[in-house]
Amino acid sequence: MHVKPHQNHFPPHFGEYIDSVPEGDLILLLLEQEQEVLEWFSPLQEQDSLFRYSEGKWSLKEVLGHIVDTERIMSYRMLVAGRGDKTPLPRHHDIYVSKTSFDRRPIADLIAEFRTVRASTLSLVRGLTDEELKQSGLLNEVETTATAFAYFILGHAHHHLRIVRERYFPHLPL
Protein backbone atom coordinates (compact mmCIF):
# COMPACT_ATOMS: atom_id res chain seq x y z
CA MET A 1 0.00 0.00 0.00
CA HIS A 2 1.39 3.36 -1.03
CA VAL A 3 0.02 6.27 0.94
CA LYS A 4 -0.98 9.29 -1.09
CA PRO A 5 1.33 12.25 -0.62
CA HIS A 6 0.29 15.09 1.67
CA GLN A 7 -0.75 18.27 -0.14
CA ASN A 8 2.41 20.09 0.94
CA HIS A 9 4.49 17.45 -0.90
CA PHE A 10 3.49 18.61 -4.40
CA PRO A 11 2.52 21.77 -6.32
CA PRO A 12 -1.10 22.89 -5.85
CA HIS A 13 -2.10 22.10 -9.44
CA PHE A 14 -1.29 18.40 -8.83
CA GLY A 15 -4.13 18.23 -6.28
CA GLU A 16 -7.06 17.62 -8.61
CA TYR A 17 -5.22 14.75 -10.31
CA ILE A 18 -3.93 13.13 -7.13
CA ASP A 19 -7.32 13.45 -5.42
CA SER A 20 -8.98 11.55 -8.29
CA VAL A 21 -6.92 8.40 -7.66
CA PRO A 22 -7.62 5.93 -4.86
CA GLU A 23 -4.86 5.21 -2.41
CA GLY A 24 -3.30 1.82 -3.00
CA ASP A 25 -0.50 -0.22 -4.42
CA LEU A 26 1.05 1.90 -7.18
CA ILE A 27 1.97 -1.15 -9.27
CA LEU A 28 -1.57 -2.52 -9.21
CA LEU A 29 -3.06 0.91 -9.91
CA LEU A 30 -0.73 1.44 -12.89
CA LEU A 31 -1.47 -2.05 -14.26
CA GLU A 32 -5.24 -1.61 -13.88
CA GLN A 33 -5.11 1.76 -15.57
CA GLU A 34 -3.00 0.38 -18.41
CA GLN A 35 -5.77 -2.11 -19.13
CA GLU A 36 -8.36 0.68 -19.03
CA VAL A 37 -6.40 2.80 -21.52
CA LEU A 38 -6.03 -0.19 -23.83
CA GLU A 39 -9.75 -1.00 -23.57
CA TRP A 40 -10.65 2.51 -24.72
CA PHE A 41 -8.03 3.06 -27.42
CA SER A 42 -7.35 -0.39 -28.89
CA PRO A 43 -10.74 -0.80 -30.64
CA LEU A 44 -10.36 2.53 -32.48
CA GLN A 45 -10.19 2.51 -36.25
CA GLU A 46 -7.91 5.11 -37.87
CA GLN A 47 -10.84 7.34 -38.87
CA ASP A 48 -12.33 7.23 -35.36
CA SER A 49 -8.96 8.01 -33.75
CA LEU A 50 -8.96 11.36 -35.58
CA PHE A 51 -12.31 12.37 -34.04
CA ARG A 52 -12.53 15.69 -32.19
CA TYR A 53 -15.68 16.34 -30.19
CA SER A 54 -15.50 20.07 -30.96
CA GLU A 55 -13.48 22.39 -33.14
CA GLY A 56 -10.14 23.21 -31.58
CA LYS A 57 -10.16 20.15 -29.33
CA TRP A 58 -7.59 17.39 -29.55
CA SER A 59 -8.17 14.27 -31.60
CA LEU A 60 -8.20 10.95 -29.77
CA LYS A 61 -4.67 10.34 -31.12
CA GLU A 62 -3.57 13.67 -29.64
CA VAL A 63 -5.15 12.79 -26.29
CA LEU A 64 -3.25 9.50 -26.19
CA GLY A 65 -0.03 11.19 -27.33
CA HIS A 66 -0.44 13.77 -24.58
CA ILE A 67 -0.96 11.04 -21.97
CA VAL A 68 2.24 9.33 -23.19
CA ASP A 69 4.32 12.53 -23.26
CA THR A 70 3.16 13.55 -19.80
CA GLU A 71 3.85 10.12 -18.32
CA ARG A 72 7.33 10.10 -19.85
CA ILE A 73 8.10 13.52 -18.35
CA MET A 74 6.62 12.68 -14.95
CA SER A 75 8.50 9.36 -14.81
CA TYR A 76 11.76 11.22 -15.34
CA ARG A 77 10.77 13.59 -12.56
CA MET A 78 9.94 10.62 -10.33
CA LEU A 79 13.43 9.26 -10.97
CA VAL A 80 15.02 12.62 -10.12
CA ALA A 81 12.98 12.91 -6.91
CA GLY A 82 13.56 9.27 -5.96
CA ARG A 83 17.29 9.82 -6.16
CA GLY A 84 17.04 12.93 -4.00
CA ASP A 85 18.31 15.25 -6.75
CA LYS A 86 17.36 18.84 -5.90
CA THR A 87 18.14 20.28 -9.35
CA PRO A 88 15.11 22.46 -10.25
CA LEU A 89 12.95 20.67 -12.82
CA PRO A 90 11.54 22.56 -15.81
CA ARG A 91 7.82 23.15 -16.07
CA HIS A 92 5.84 20.98 -18.52
CA HIS A 93 3.31 22.74 -20.72
CA ASP A 94 0.66 21.38 -23.07
CA ILE A 95 2.65 22.79 -26.01
CA TYR A 96 4.00 19.33 -26.70
CA VAL A 97 0.80 18.39 -28.55
CA SER A 98 0.99 21.48 -30.76
CA LYS A 99 4.67 20.88 -31.52
CA THR A 100 4.12 17.48 -33.15
CA SER A 101 1.53 15.74 -35.26
CA PHE A 102 0.23 12.69 -33.47
CA ASP A 103 -2.49 12.46 -36.13
CA ARG A 104 0.07 11.41 -38.77
CA ARG A 105 0.92 8.28 -36.79
CA PRO A 106 -1.10 5.06 -36.85
CA ILE A 107 -3.13 4.60 -33.67
CA ALA A 108 -1.44 1.20 -33.24
CA ASP A 109 1.94 2.96 -32.99
CA LEU A 110 0.65 5.31 -30.30
CA ILE A 111 -0.82 2.39 -28.36
CA ALA A 112 2.52 0.56 -28.60
CA GLU A 113 4.32 3.68 -27.38
CA PHE A 114 1.91 3.97 -24.44
CA ARG A 115 2.62 0.34 -23.51
CA THR A 116 6.38 0.96 -23.70
CA VAL A 117 6.25 4.10 -21.57
CA ARG A 118 3.94 2.45 -19.03
CA ALA A 119 6.26 -0.56 -18.84
CA SER A 120 9.14 1.81 -18.14
CA THR A 121 7.12 3.60 -15.45
CA LEU A 122 6.24 0.27 -13.84
CA SER A 123 9.88 -0.78 -13.89
CA LEU A 124 10.89 2.48 -12.24
CA VAL A 125 8.25 2.22 -9.51
CA ARG A 126 9.18 -1.42 -8.84
CA GLY A 127 12.81 -0.38 -8.48
CA LEU A 128 12.21 2.46 -6.02
CA THR A 129 12.31 1.57 -2.33
CA ASP A 130 9.70 2.93 0.07
CA GLU A 131 12.34 5.38 1.29
CA GLU A 132 13.14 6.53 -2.25
CA LEU A 133 9.44 7.07 -2.99
CA LYS A 134 9.37 9.51 -0.05
CA GLN A 135 12.33 11.52 -1.36
CA SER A 136 11.65 14.70 -3.26
CA GLY A 137 12.81 16.86 -6.11
CA LEU A 138 12.20 20.53 -6.77
CA LEU A 139 9.35 21.38 -9.17
CA ASN A 140 8.23 25.01 -9.48
CA GLU A 141 10.11 25.70 -6.24
CA VAL A 142 8.00 23.06 -4.45
CA GLU A 143 9.49 19.94 -2.86
CA THR A 144 7.67 17.17 -4.75
CA THR A 145 7.96 13.53 -3.73
CA ALA A 146 8.51 10.63 -6.09
CA THR A 147 5.17 9.26 -4.86
CA ALA A 148 3.46 12.49 -5.88
CA PHE A 149 4.78 12.10 -9.42
CA ALA A 150 3.48 8.51 -9.54
CA TYR A 151 0.03 9.56 -8.33
CA PHE A 152 0.06 12.47 -10.79
CA ILE A 153 0.69 10.03 -13.67
CA LEU A 154 -2.34 8.03 -12.58
CA GLY A 155 -4.55 11.06 -11.99
CA HIS A 156 -3.60 12.78 -15.23
CA ALA A 157 -4.44 9.71 -17.33
CA HIS A 158 -7.63 9.23 -15.28
CA HIS A 159 -8.65 12.83 -16.07
CA HIS A 160 -8.21 12.33 -19.82
CA LEU A 161 -9.92 8.93 -19.80
CA ARG A 162 -12.95 10.54 -18.18
CA ILE A 163 -13.05 13.13 -20.97
CA VAL A 164 -12.68 10.39 -23.59
CA ARG A 165 -15.62 8.48 -22.07
CA GLU A 166 -17.84 11.53 -21.67
CA ARG A 167 -17.07 13.67 -24.72
CA TYR A 168 -15.63 11.44 -27.42
CA PHE A 169 -17.13 7.97 -27.27
CA PRO A 170 -20.80 9.00 -27.18
CA HIS A 171 -20.26 10.41 -30.70
CA LEU A 172 -18.41 7.46 -32.21
CA PRO A 173 -20.13 4.59 -34.07
CA LEU A 174 -18.49 1.82 -32.04
Side-chain angles (χ1 to χ4, degrees), residues 48-117:
D48 294 333
S49 68
L50 294 168
F51 177 74
R52 300 166 192 273
Y53 67 87
S54 183
E55 188 169 332
K57 297 299 181 183
W58 292 342
S59 69
L60 283 161
K61 285 183 180 184
E62 289 172 325
V63 171
L64 183 56
H66 171 68
I67 290 169
V68 170
D69 278 356
T70 300
E71 182 161 337
R72 184 178 275 128
I73 290 166
M74 292 298 170
S75 287
Y76 167 72
R77 291 175 174 179
M78 186 186 343
L79 170 67
V80 170
R83 299 298 188 250
D85 185 347
K86 301 298 184 192
T87 305
L89 294 163
R91 189 146 192 253
H92 164 56
H93 299 282
D94 288 342
I95 62 167
Y96 284 77
V97 172
S98 66
K99 299 292 183 184
T100 191
S101 178
F102 289 116
D103 287 344
R104 70 178 161 69
R105 297 177 58 194
I107 188 67
D109 286 357
L110 291 168
I111 291 167
E113 186 175 358
F114 168 76
R115 287 179 149 176
T116 299
V117 170

Side-chain angles (χ1 to χ4, degrees), residues 120-153:
S120 177
T121 300
L122 283 159
S123 182
L124 175 61
V125 172
R126 283 184 182 111
L128 292 171
T129 66
D130 288 341
E131 195 55 42
E132 289 169 329
L133 283 165
K134 293 175 188 173
Q135 292 193 111
S136 61
L138 195 57
L139 178 63
N140 301 333
E141 301 178 12
V142 177
E143 292 277 337
T144 307
T145 64
T147 302
F149 288 118
Y151 272 100
F152 181 92
I153 288 168

Side-chain angles (χ1 to χ4, degrees), residues 10-21 155-156 158-159 162:
F10 54 83
H13 68 279
F14 276 33
E16 78 173 275
Y17 296 118
I18 291 173
D19 289 347
S20 72
V21 179
H156 177 262
H158 174 78
H159 165 78
R162 182 182 53 77

